[in-house]
Amino acid sequence: MNLLQRIDRWGETHHPIWIDGLRIVLGLILMWKGIQFVGNIDLLKARIDEQPFLTVLSFWLAHIIVFAHIAGGLLITLGLLTRVGILANIPILFGAVFFVHTPVNLFAVHSEMILSIIVLCALIFFLVEGSGRFSVDEYMRRHPEKAPGTN
């Protein structure tokens, strides 16, 4: 049994119900941020343009961020392909924490650095923990469809 299978098995046996609530809130926060970015796409592109090595990609990167937040947030909220949604969002949050936010405004009144760090930590946690009991993944695992042609 490889390491990922052991981690997944441990996560299934040691998964309190309240953690599913945290997963759902995490997904809703990501979707909310994605919807905010849709309304302020020009500001998002301007923020990306502040990084000299990303200026050429600002249009595409802004749209990828919006899509990953909305689609990944929906997957995380539903518990459907949770780790795929998480893997789509980890690079974005990593970039937000280490490249977009500066350490100078860490505790500023309107800073979202703290939120970005919390969401990044939660994404890493749920990458290991998985989707949990109250998820579409778990429902599909417990109720497999019968193979075509079998009665």
Side-chain angles (χ1 to χ4, degrees):
M1 184 182 303
N2 68 22
L3 179 63
L4 289 177
Q5 289 173 332
R6 285 186 282 170
I7 290 172
D8 192 40
R9 181 167 299 198
W10 182 89
E12 288 174 8
T13 58
H14 297 87
H15 192 92
I17 294 172
W18 61 270
I19 290 181
D20 288 337
L22 288 179
R23 186 200 75 236
I24 292 168
V25 168
L26 174 65
L28 292 174
I29 288 171
L30 288 170
M31 287 192 305
W32 170 65
K33 288 304 290 180
I35 291 168
Q36 266 190 334
F37 287 151
V38 167
N40 301 314
I41 196 78
D42 293 330
L43 293 173
L44 177 62
K45 286 191 279 189
R47 185 72 173 174
I48 293 169
D49 283 339
E50 291 175 5
Q51 303 297 321
F53 57 93
L54 297 176
T55 303
V56 177
L57 303 173
S58 67
F59 175 81
W60 296 106
L61 196 56
H63 286 83
I64 289 170
I65 290 170
V66 167
F67 178 75
H69 275 0
I70 293 174
L74 181 63
L75 290 175
I76 293 167
T77 300
L78 295 175
L80 174 66
L81 300 172
T82 305
R83 289 186 172 113
V84 172
I86 289 170
L87 287 173
N89 279 288
I90 283 181
I92 295 167
L93 267 295
F94 183 81
V97 169
F98 293 105
F99 297 115
V100 176
H101 298 296
T102 59
V104 177
N105 69 354
L106 179 61
F107 295 107
V109 176
H110 299 290
S111 174
E112 292 191 7
M113 177 69 157
I114 299 297
L115 179 64
S116 297
I117 291 171
I118 291 169
V119 170
L120 179 62
C121 291
L123 286 171
I124 293 169
F125 173 76
F126 283 108
L127 182 64
V128 173
E129 184 69 23
S131 53
R133 288 185 223 165
F134 295 109
S135 65
V136 175
D137 285 340
E138 183 65 21
Y139 179 81
M140 291 170 41
R141 196 175 7 252
R142 291 181 186 252
H143 300 93
E145 285 188 3
K146 293 182 180 178
T150 59
N151 293 327

